[in-house]
């Protein structure tokens, strides 16, 4: 049995926080400075996390190793299980030529590749985030952009940066449902408050995406389209989160933003278009079949959310405490992080597998060929699989040993300025785990406690954890590995990291200022 200690090093929270930060400092230094491949960097950082847990905290060796195995298992299921099946569907559409048809279809919406990239990465990516989350939009939109002719690194960077504003409401608001459960705050109020923070990001993200692709010239030439897309998404996200439905927020916002952009393009064309010529005209039936895999994905996920169906699928879920792992809080109660939830039918990865099996006859690919593509997908993702499992092992070792709690408690000791750094805590959580849901689970209750001590509205701090967390998604080694693996850049995650880091920090600074002003009379009227 092990009980985490917050200040094991010299009885000092500051020195302990410095020690607790070593795994993260090593990981990002190896990625960004040494330019080591992600799977090697994550394995080295895992060794550092284990060393800190065992020699500084001190955590029994068996408990430290068992927490690492639990994290690795969680890394594969549900996270990698989602990514593998999502990319398998894409690989089948490539093998049958349906993806080429889909590409030409996007070209007919606009012959400007900048606009195509915005619609795919931001609008379609937001829809995938709303339905599945956990890396699915990055995995699929990255390869879609690659197929449109963008370079591998541009495809990866654009997809990662686009996967920001929708994340807080992703996977049918799973991050907010988790946040509500750990804080005791009402889901509706948390959703409403988040809907008064992340829409600000949505306004700027489409503009930034075009800037990444074509610089300031492209930004000026496409400004009407990027503003229509971003503003329509932001307004709809705010309205849906506050007045319609928290779980459906991103679905509604993604569809409205795509529709508004398409309507604009009927009456306006950007100057200086970077064209993607359409080689030939496809029949309506061929176009429909190219969209069919994604329509099947949407249908499967929507059906799975129907009350009776969801209950039936969840009835076979298996929950169990990880064998041998015994982590307790100061009161002697076992922590929930030792539980492994094997929701093998309700998992987004399983739903994607079902959608993939339905896609096989829908697009006319031979079963033997589909099976071969499935095996090839595992080979394609072999190094990202190692990376993701290693990163989640780091996260679980840090959580179980108390390293994460030490960092959070140390950051919470700043008093009234906590509102300014509250989003950073969420950002840090997602950077480590790759999941806004996991970050909310880690730091949600801590945010509420720290806010109460600092005299800040707990609802504001809790929502800021998720809103700041979405900006850590693009620098998470887990998501970097997914993006790199999808476009054949495994081993070059550091190159992608350096490209997305400035955007992550820039957007985070914007969110910190917004939350701080919301804690003051200046924008206090925005708080629910």
């Amino acid at each position: 049995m092990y009980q985490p200690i917050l200040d094991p090093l010299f009885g000092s929270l500051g020195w302990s926080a410095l020690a607790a930060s070593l795994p993260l400092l090593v990981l990002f230094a190896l990625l960004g400075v040494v330019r080591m491949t992600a799977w090697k960097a994550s394995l080295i950082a895992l060794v550092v996390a284990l060393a800190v847990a065992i020699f500084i905290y001190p955590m029994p060796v068996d408990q430290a190793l068992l927490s690492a195995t639990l994290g690795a298992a969680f890394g594969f299921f549900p996270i990698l299980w989602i990514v593998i099946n999502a990319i398998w569907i894409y690989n089948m559409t490539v093998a049958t030529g349906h993806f080429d048809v889909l590409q030409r279809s996007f070209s007919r919406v606009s012959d400007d590749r900048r606009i195509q990239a915005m619609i795919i990465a931001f609008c379609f990516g937001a829809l995938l985030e709303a339905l599945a989350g956990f890396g699915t939009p990055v995995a699929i939109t990255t390869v879609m952009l690659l197929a449109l002719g963008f370079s591998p690194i541009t495809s990866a960077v654009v997809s990662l940066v686009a996967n920001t504003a929708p994340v807080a409401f992703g996977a049918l608001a799973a991050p907010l449902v988790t946040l509500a459960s750990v804080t005791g705050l009402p889901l509706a109020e948390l959703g409403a408050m988040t809907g008064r923070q992340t829409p600000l990001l949505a306004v700027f993200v489409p503009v930034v995406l075009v800037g990444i692709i074509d610089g300031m010239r492209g930004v000026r030439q496409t400004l009407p389209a990027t503003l229509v897309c971003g503003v329509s998404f932001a307004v709809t996200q705010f309205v849906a989160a506050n007045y319609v439905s928290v779980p459906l927020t991103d679905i509604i916002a993604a569809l409205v933003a795509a529709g508004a952009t398409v309507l604009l393009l009927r009456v306006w064309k950007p100057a200086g278009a970077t064209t993607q010529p359409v080689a030939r005209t496809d029949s309506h039936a061929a176009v429909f079949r190219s969209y069919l895999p994604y329509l099947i994905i949407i249908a499967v996920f929507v059906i799975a959310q129907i009350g009776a169906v969801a209950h039936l699928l969840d009835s076979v879920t298996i929950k169990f405490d990880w064998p041998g792992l015994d982590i307790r809080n100061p009161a002697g109660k076992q922590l929930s992080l030792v539980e492994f939830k094997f929701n093998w039918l309700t998992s987004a990865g399983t739903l994607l597998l079902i959608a993939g099996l339905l896609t096989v006859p829908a697009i006319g690919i031979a079963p033997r060929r589909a099976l071969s593509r499935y095996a090839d997908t595992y080979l394609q993702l072999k190094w990202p699989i190692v990376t993701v499992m290693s990163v989640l092992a780091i996260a679980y070792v840090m959580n179980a040993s108390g390293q994460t709690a030490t960092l959070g408690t140390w950051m919470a000791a700043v008093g009234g300025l906590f509102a300014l750094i509250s989003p950073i805590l969420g950002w840090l959580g997602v950077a480590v785990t790759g999941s806004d849901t996991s970050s909310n689970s880690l730091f949600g209750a801590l945010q509420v406690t720290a806010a109460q001590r600092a005299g800040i509205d707990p609802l504001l701090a809790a929502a800021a954890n998720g809103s700041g967390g979405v900006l850590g998604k693009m620098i998470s080694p887990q998501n970097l590995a997914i993006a790199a693996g999808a476009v054949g850049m495994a081993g070059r995650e550091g190159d992608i990291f350096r490209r997305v880091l400035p955007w992550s920090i820039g957007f985070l600074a914007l969110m910190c200022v917004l939350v701080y002003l919301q804690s003051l009379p200046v924008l206090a009227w925005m708080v629910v």
Side-chain angles (χ1 to χ4, degrees):
M1 188 269 287
Y2 172 70
Q3 290 177 308
I5 304 170
L6 295 184
D7 55 355
L9 193 59
F10 311 128
S12 166
L13 189 62
W15 282 109
S16 300
L18 180 61
S21 68
L22 286 177
L24 303 181
L25 294 175
V26 168
L27 178 60
F28 289 121
L30 291 176
L31 282 174
V33 180
V34 181
R35 302 189 181 189
M36 185 178 290
T37 57
W39 70 271
K40 293 179 181 178
S42 58
L43 287 175
I44 292 174
L46 174 58
V47 172
V48 174
L50 287 168
V52 171
I54 294 168
F55 296 111
I56 293 180
Y57 269 74
M59 189 180 193
V61 175
D62 63 329
Q63 297 297 296
L65 293 175
L66 285 170
S67 64
T69 60
L70 174 56
F74 183 79
F76 188 85
F77 186 95
I79 295 172
L80 284 166
W81 183 235
I82 296 169
V83 176
I84 290 166
N85 290 308
I87 294 184
W88 172 52
I89 294 174
Y90 161 76
N91 285 339
M92 287 194 294
T93 65
V94 171
T96 56
H98 288 87
F99 193 81
D100 292 333
V101 178
L102 181 67
Q103 175 184 334
R104 291 191 289 270
S105 174
F106 275 111
S107 299
R108 293 185 187 94
V109 173
S110 171
D111 59 0
D112 191 322
R113 290 198 310 158
R114 300 168 299 187
I115 303 298
Q116 294 172 24
M118 181 185 71
I119 293 173
I120 291 172
F122 187 70
C123 299
F124 187 53
L127 184 61
L128 292 173
E129 180 66 37
L131 294 169
F134 295 100
T136 305
V138 171
I140 292 180
T141 61
T142 298
V143 289
M144 291 180 73
L145 294 177
L146 184 66
L148 285 176
F150 292 101
S151 69
I153 193 165
T154 299
S155 301
V157 170
V158 168
S159 293
L160 286 165
V161 174
N163 192 220
T164 48
V167 170
F169 296 92
L172 296 171
L176 289 169
V177 171
T178 300
L179 188 60
S181 69
V182 300
T183 62
L185 297 172
L187 174 62
E189 292 184 11
L190 284 170
M193 188 65 242
T194 306
R196 301 179 188 198
Q197 294 172 341
T198 57
L200 181 64
L201 300 174
V203 173
F204 296 104
V205 169
V207 179
V208 169
L209 298 182
V210 172
I212 293 171
I213 294 168
D214 197 30
M216 286 304 300
R217 179 184 71 93
V219 169
R220 290 192 299 269
Q221 292 173 343
T222 62
L223 197 59
T226 54
L227 287 180
V228 165
C229 183
V231 171
S232 61
F233 186 96
V235 171
T236 307
Q237 192 180 57
F238 164 76
V239 172
N242 281 270
Y243 306 110
V244 183
S245 167
V246 174
L248 297 179
T249 294
D250 275 351
I251 296 177
I252 300 170
L255 294 175
V256 168
T261 305
V262 170
L263 288 176
L264 173 68
L265 293 172
R266 291 182 178 274
V267 297
W268 172 87
K269 300 294 181 184
T274 57
T275 59
Q276 176 73 15
V278 181
R280 69 171 193 262
T281 301
D282 300 293
S283 67
H284 293 301
V287 171
F288 175 75
R289 291 184 75 183
S290 72
Y291 280 91
L292 199 51
Y294 303 102
L295 295 175
I296 290 172
I297 291 173
I298 293 171
V300 168
F301 275 89
V302 169
I303 292 172
Q305 303 308 317
I306 297 173
V309 178
H311 178 73
L312 179 63
L313 295 177
D314 197 45
S315 64
V316 295
T317 293
I318 301 171
K319 297 180 182 179
F320 59 91
D321 290 341
W322 199 250
L325 188 59
D326 190 3
I327 311 293
R328 299 177 183 269
N329 63 19
K333 183 179 180 181
Q334 193 169 65
L335 298 183
S336 60
L337 62 81
V338 305
E339 182 182 80
F340 186 78
K341 181 180 179 181
F342 187 50
N343 54 330
W344 63 281
L345 270 185
T346 58
S347 165
T350 302
L351 296 179
L352 282 168
L353 177 62
I354 293 170
L357 294 174
L358 294 173
T359 296
V360 171
I363 64 176
I365 185 172
R368 183 185 296 271
R369 193 179 184 194
L371 182 61
S372 174
R373 286 289 169 175
Y374 195 71
D376 291 343
T377 301
Y378 276 87
L379 292 175
Q380 175 187 347
L381 296 176
K382 60 180 182 295
W383 296 125
I385 287 173
V386 174
T387 301
V388 172
M389 293 179 70
S390 300
V391 168
L392 266 295
I394 294 170
Y396 269 69
V397 170
M398 292 183 67
N399 298 343
S401 64
Q403 294 174 58
T404 303
T406 296
L407 287 170
T409 305
W410 175 71
M411 293 179 67
V414 296
L417 289 177
F418 182 68
L420 186 63
I421 68 170
S422 179
I424 300 176
L425 199 54
W427 177 82
L428 178 66
V430 177
V432 174
T433 67
S435 165
D436 205 31
T437 300
S438 297
S439 177
N440 285 344
S441 177
L442 290 176
F443 294 134
L446 178 63
Q447 292 270 15
V448 169
T449 301
Q452 290 170 338
R453 291 175 180 172
I456 300 167
D457 191 322
L459 183 69
L460 174 63
N465 193 81
S467 298
V470 306
L471 304 170
K473 191 97 169 174
M474 68 181 84
I475 64 166
S476 165
Q478 168 189 314
N479 288 286
L480 290 170
I482 290 169
V487 295
M489 288 184 62
R492 293 183 57 195
E493 293 84 359
D495 294 339
I496 303 173
F497 173 73
R498 286 187 294 276
R499 288 279 299 272
V500 298
L501 181 61
W503 296 113
S504 179
I505 293 175
F507 278 132
L508 177 63
L510 178 65
M511 183 58 65
C512 288
V513 171
L514 173 64
V515 173
Y516 184 61
L517 293 177
Q518 288 177 332
S519 73
L520 300 175
V522 181
L523 293 180
W525 53 271
M526 293 181 67
V527 181
V528 177

